[in-house]
Amino acid sequence: MEQSEQEKLNWSEFMKVEMRVGTIISAEKFKEVRNPAYKMIVDFGPFGTRKTSAQITKLYTPEELVGKQVIAVLNFPPKQIATIMSECLVMGCVGDEKEVTLI
């Protein structure tokens, strides 16, 4: 499927996206959400720690996520997700079965 010109980003728009590598320092089941997800805290070193949630329960357990490095977008506005304020967007790819593989 071809993207329309309206859907494409130009280079200056892409350069505004602040992607950083961080290390997951805690992960637990997010019981308060409708779709299965984990609550996580990710350490971005000099950029601080950020809370987030991710629907990655099909391929990962909380225990194996701790210590894993991920790529996340840091400059989206915070978003309330059930009981937490998500402070970053962890990046992943969605597969055929709607499973998410972390980047």
Side-chain angles (χ1 to χ4, degrees):
M1 184 164 77
E2 192 174 313
Q3 287 184 319
S4 73
E5 286 300 316
Q6 291 179 347
E7 294 173 330
K8 292 182 180 179
L9 295 175
N10 64 43
W11 185 252
S12 65
E13 290 170 322
F14 175 73
M15 290 302 295
K16 293 177 186 177
V17 179
E18 183 182 350
M19 290 181 279
R20 302 282 177 190
V21 174
T23 303
I24 299 171
I25 58 174
S26 75
E28 61 186 69
K29 288 183 180 178
F30 197 171
K31 297 172 186 162
E32 298 87 357
V33 292
R34 282 178 284 207
N35 298 318
Y38 297 134
K39 288 191 270 193
M40 301 184 300
I41 298 176
V42 184
D43 184 356
F44 293 97
F47 302 97
T49 59
R50 307 277 178 107
K51 293 180 284 184
T52 192
S53 73
Q55 294 178 5
I56 54 174
T57 59
K58 287 186 179 181
L59 297 180
Y60 305 95
T61 65
E63 297 78 22
E64 68 185 325
L65 287 169
V66 174
K68 188 170 192 61
Q69 290 196 305
V70 292
I71 297 172
V73 175
L74 300 188
N75 63 336
F76 282 135
K79 181 178 181 180
Q80 186 73 43
I81 300 176
T83 58
I84 69 164
M85 185 64 73
S86 180
E87 302 168 316
C88 66
L89 176 66
V90 173
M91 310 252 322
C93 298
V94 181
D96 293 337
E97 305 293 321
K98 301 210 188 279
E99 74 282 7
V100 177
T101 301
L102 292 171
I103 296 176

